[in-house]
Amino acid sequence: MDLTTIITVALSTVILIIIIGLAAAFIYYRWRTTELMSGLAQFIRKTEKQRDELERLEREIQKLKKQDN
């Protein structure tokens, strides 16, 4: 075989492996980001519910204080 052909095949193989690696890294990054954002959204919803419950309890306490006076 010609040396040029061997070098060309080797370089194209390396470039192909790099492209596949970058694609795999990108897919993993997207999957991981989606997973983290879904957990963050769930945390925000739970925090919002707790804040609403706290505000409701504070209003209830204020009403009870007004009734005692």
Side-chain angles (χ1 to χ4, degrees):
M1 276 182 111
D2 188 21
L3 183 62
T4 308
T5 307
I6 294 172
I7 292 174
T8 304
V9 170
L11 283 176
S12 48
T13 303
V14 169
I15 291 172
L16 183 63
I17 290 172
I18 290 172
I19 290 172
I20 290 172
L22 287 173
F26 178 75
I27 290 169
Y28 173 76
Y29 172 77
R30 292 283 299 185
W31 169 74
R32 188 73 177 131
T33 301
T34 303
E35 183 181 323
L36 290 173
M37 294 306 280
S38 123
L40 181 62
Q42 182 180 6
F43 173 76
I44 290 171
R45 282 192 296 273
K46 184 177 178 182
T47 303
E48 187 70 23
K49 284 181 183 178
Q50 289 176 343
R51 186 179 63 82
D52 291 343
E53 180 68 15
L54 181 62
E55 288 176 355
R56 185 188 67 77
L57 291 172
E58 286 175 345
R59 286 191 304 270
E60 211 172 284
I61 290 171
Q62 291 299 326
K63 284 181 184 177
L64 290 173
K65 283 183 180 179
K66 287 180 182 178
Q67 288 177 358
D68 287 343
N69 290 332

